[in-house]
Amino acid sequence: MKDHLKTSEWGLGLKGHVIIAGPCSAETPEQVEKVCLEMKEQNIIPSMFRAGIWKPRTRPGSFEGIGEDGLKWMEIVRNHLNIPITTEVGNTAHVELALKHKVDVLWIGARTTVNPFAVQEIAEALRGTDIPVMVKNPMNPDLQLWIGALERLHAVGINKLAAIHRGFSDAYDKRFRNKPNWSMPIHLKREWKGMEVINDPSHIVGKRDGILEISQRAINFGLDGLMIETHHDPDNAWSDAKQQVTPAQLKDILSKIDFKNTLDAEKPSEKLHDLRTAVDHMDDQLIDLLAERFSVIDQIGAHKREHKLTVFQSDRWKEVMDSRTDKGVKKGLSEKFMKELLFSIHEESVKRQEKQLRAGDPVNKNA
């Protein structure tokens, strides 16, 4: 493991859960001011104010951001809310203009994270600065690509880093605009100790309904904050109108979230320690049982080799899958979990049996 993956000196330096709010795009100075004023009226002062200045669109012709003028309007946020401002950068020109206008925090979007060349160019443009940078996950669920983008920034001296989980492209699951994969940010936090991961429920859901549910799930999984797109008139927003909420709706969402302390910051209670110890013992037993099961599988493989039987037998596999899944469901385990578990066990079993058959193959014997 690389040294920087062991350290805990990361994050944005903000206490508690980070709440980032603001419109998808800065549209006019009046719009930015209106959002700020309504936030003050609702007594909602987020940790940071977000607004897109440059918008990477799938196809040309749609609104692609207001450009540098929008950076000037961000002074309105400082005047009214006195909080850090953050925007997305996608190339070196964006970086130079954002630094010129003293943007407090930058973020790299999902479409940029997928391109190591683009990330490297942004990193070089940031060399010698100490500005915090957040990195959204790539479009596809590739943890190493996500970590790689963070590493490129770290390599040029950017130490204030955070990640943003905004979901992943999925052509089949229409419940989400970008499907969440909760294991990815958890794996990232485990591999890079101290790395904060903020959730972006707006881009995951793609509509207002469901933002509360996804936000709560993110907090339940131990993520460190939320980025929620907020507009004074969402229905008439110039971009991503369906997924933005009003400041009043943002207040309602935040009031309903059960914010939980992360175990990283809390010393586990004696009861929690005892329960974890019990789980550790059960895991040891599970591993021993699996090892014993695969020992029997090896014997089955040897028997099939001696009697010239094929590894895969569809009737037997269907019977195992159906009967074990049914037993698991009756004991309170989900059907999805049982099928995924059984498939993994079956895949390993097939590999071991195929290895047994290959050991007796004349071709391999003569090799």
Side-chain angles (χ1 to χ4, degrees):
M1 182 180 289
K2 294 188 177 182
D3 291 340
H4 64 268
L5 298 183
K6 300 177 183 178
T7 183
S8 60
E9 298 300 320
W10 300 103
L12 303 174
L14 299 170
K15 302 298 182 182
H17 288 96
V18 178
I19 304 299
I20 304 171
C24 174
S25 304
E27 300 166 359
T28 65
E30 292 78 18
Q31 171 237 18
V32 173
E33 183 166 34
K34 184 68 172 175
V35 175
C36 290
L37 291 175
E38 289 196 11
M39 284 183 175
K40 289 181 72 174
E41 289 172 4
Q42 295 295 330
N43 197 28
I44 292 291
I45 308 299
S47 312
M48 271 186 275
F49 187 95
R50 58 143 293 147
I53 302 301
W54 303 278
K55 301 299 298 180
R57 313 311 292 178
T58 303
R59 299 179 65 182
S62 57
F63 176 61
E64 295 185 308
I66 207 71
E68 184 178 3
D69 285 344
L71 293 172
K72 302 172 185 175
W73 307 337
M74 299 296 259
E75 284 299 320
I76 296 170
V77 182
R78 292 193 175 101
N79 294 335
H80 285 296
L81 301 179
N82 193 31
I83 58 174
I85 58 176
T86 180
T87 197
E88 177 180 353
V89 293
N91 57 42
T92 56
H94 295 168
V95 171
E96 291 167 2
L97 288 171
L99 294 176
K100 172 185 172 183
H101 289 277
K102 296 181 171 54
V103 174
D104 299 290
V105 180
L106 305 178
W107 87 75
I108 294 176
R111 288 180 173 86
T112 305
T113 306
V114 300
N115 186 341
F117 292 119
V119 174
Q120 188 62 48
E121 288 183 3
I122 291 172
E124 293 299 335
L126 291 171
R127 187 184 292 275
T129 71
D130 62 352
I131 189 169
V133 181
M134 303 181 291
V135 179
K136 289 196 173 186
N137 61 252
M139 301 289 287
N140 54 312
D142 187 334
L143 180 61
Q144 296 309 310
L145 191 59
W146 198 2
I147 291 177
L150 290 159
E151 288 179 325
R152 290 177 188 279
L153 292 160
H154 171 263
V156 300
I158 302 297
N159 293 326
K160 295 176 182 177
L161 290 167
I164 301 175
H165 172 236
R166 49 84 77 192
F168 301 89
S169 177
D170 189 317
Y172 303 101
D173 196 334
K174 301 303 182 182
R175 293 174 299 165
F176 306 98
R177 180 180 179 186
N178 296 285
K179 187 176 181 178
N181 183 333
W182 301 109
S183 66
M184 292 285 284
I186 292 171
H187 288 324
L188 175 59
K189 288 172 72 68
R190 188 183 68 237
E191 289 202 27
W192 198 318
K193 300 297 183 182
M195 177 62 65
E196 290 176 346
V197 181
I198 296 161
N199 185 248
D200 180 350
S202 302
H203 278 89
I204 287 176
V205 182
K207 54 186 178 181
R208 293 177 203 104
D209 295 341
I211 287 180
L212 173 59
E213 178 186 353
I214 293 298
S215 297
Q216 185 63 70
R217 293 190 71 189
I219 299 303
N220 291 348
F221 279 113
L223 272 61
D224 302 284
L226 303 166
M227 176 184 276
I228 300 177
E229 292 188 347
T230 309
H231 193 292
H232 75 285
D233 185 14
D235 289 334
N236 292 303
W238 294 4
S239 59
D240 288 351
K242 293 181 180 180
Q243 67 189 41
Q244 299 190 67
V245 299
T246 64
Q249 290 169 328
L250 175 65
K251 181 178 181 178
D252 182 62
I253 289 170
L254 295 178
S255 70
K256 292 177 178 177
I257 295 174
D258 181 12
F259 286 97
K260 297 173 171 60
N261 294 322
T262 63
L263 290 174
D264 291 339
E266 298 291 323
K267 184 177 180 179
S269 65
E270 183 176 347
K271 181 177 181 180
L272 180 59
H273 173 76
D274 291 343
L275 291 171
R276 285 176 165 176
T277 300
V279 169
D280 291 342
H281 290 322
M282 285 185 278
D283 284 345
D284 287 340
Q285 294 174 41
L286 281 172
I287 292 169
D288 287 342
L289 279 173
L290 284 171
E292 186 175 347
R293 186 186 194 281
F294 285 124
S295 176
V296 175
I297 291 295
D298 290 341
Q299 296 176 51
I300 292 174
H303 179 85
K304 288 180 178 179
R305 182 187 67 208
E306 291 175 12
H307 294 81
K308 300 185 183 300
L309 299 173
T310 60
V311 168
F312 180 67
Q313 294 173 307
S314 59
D315 290 344
R316 168 64 179 170
W317 165 233
K318 185 178 185 306
E319 188 275 326
V320 168
M321 175 66 85
D322 291 346
S323 63
R324 274 45 158 196
T325 298
D326 185 58
K327 286 182 180 179
V329 169
K330 288 179 179 177
K331 290 184 178 293
L333 303 176
S334 74
E335 180 180 349
K336 180 176 182 291
F337 168 76
M338 286 303 303
K339 288 184 175 179
E340 289 178 350
L341 174 65
L342 290 168
F343 181 82
S344 295
I345 292 174
H346 180 256
E347 188 175 33
E348 177 66 16
S349 299
V350 169
K351 288 179 181 178
R352 295 175 77 104
Q353 291 185 50
E354 197 266 342
K355 185 178 179 180
Q356 287 280 353
L357 291 186
R358 289 181 63 212
D361 193 322
V363 174
N364 288 303
K365 283 184 176 182
N366 296 328

